[in-house]
Amino acid sequence: MSDCLFCRIIAGEIPSSKVYEDELCFAFNDIAPQAPTHFLVIPKAHIPSVSAISAENSAVVAHIFEVIAKIAKEQGLESYRVVSNIGEQAGQSVFHLHFHVLSGRDMTWPPG
Ligand code: 5GP
Ligand code: ZN
């Protein structure tokens, strides 16, 4: 059994509210939503963070962004933010690559 929380969610060992799934990626609602819409899109392959993206594994990232655009269109999201935190200082708490998709409220820039 993996000790990675998101690998366990992909495997169905930990329940989640699934938004989308295909052979390469999985999307599910964040357990602590920071906006009316807040879901995470993750590769099924374990990649620790953006800093581990390389020529060998980057195709899944392009695919994830296609999936984000597709889900956003299906959900009628006109404005949204895609965020990936890298490292603890930036706020990363789960070390399996994930892209937050947030929508449905005013957002500030720069982020806190
Ligand atoms: P990070 O802090 O690494 O950028 O994002 C991790 C996200 O995963 C957080 O927004 C957190 O709320 C979410 N999260 C942590 N544990 C779980 C869980 O068990 N289920 C779901 N659906 N989300 C989780
Ligand atoms: Zn993992």
Side-chain angles (χ1 to χ4, degrees):
M1 183 191 288
S2 172
D3 59 3
C4 169
L5 175 66
F6 286 177
C7 282
R8 294 185 68 194
I9 284 178
I10 292 164
E13 292 166 12
I14 293 172
S16 69
S17 162
K18 183 165 88 174
V19 171
Y20 175 88
E21 180 175 15
D22 63 26
E23 64 285 4
L24 293 176
C25 71
F26 192 80
F28 56 106
N29 288 310
D30 197 290
I31 205 167
Q34 301 302 311
T37 296
H38 184 181
F39 60 86
L40 306 172
V41 189
I42 68 178
K44 286 192 169 172
H46 181 88
I47 299 171
S49 80
V50 166
S51 63
I53 295 170
S54 67
E56 282 67 47
N57 62 18
S58 63
V60 73
V61 179
H63 178 73
I64 283 173
F65 274 82
E66 284 181 40
V67 165
I68 289 171
K70 177 179 146 78
I71 298 170
K73 214 164 287 169
E74 281 170 5
Q75 294 195 358
L77 307 182
E78 286 178 2
S79 183
Y80 55 98
R81 184 172 287 182
V82 180
V83 177
S84 192
N85 300 318
I86 298 101
E88 278 172 27
Q89 189 177 32
Q92 186 175 10
S93 60
V94 178
F95 289 78
H96 179 127
L97 178 65
H98 51 284
F99 295 93
H100 297 259
V101 179
L102 300 134
S103 185
R105 66 163 169 82
D106 292 341
M107 292 182 203
T108 56
W109 191 263

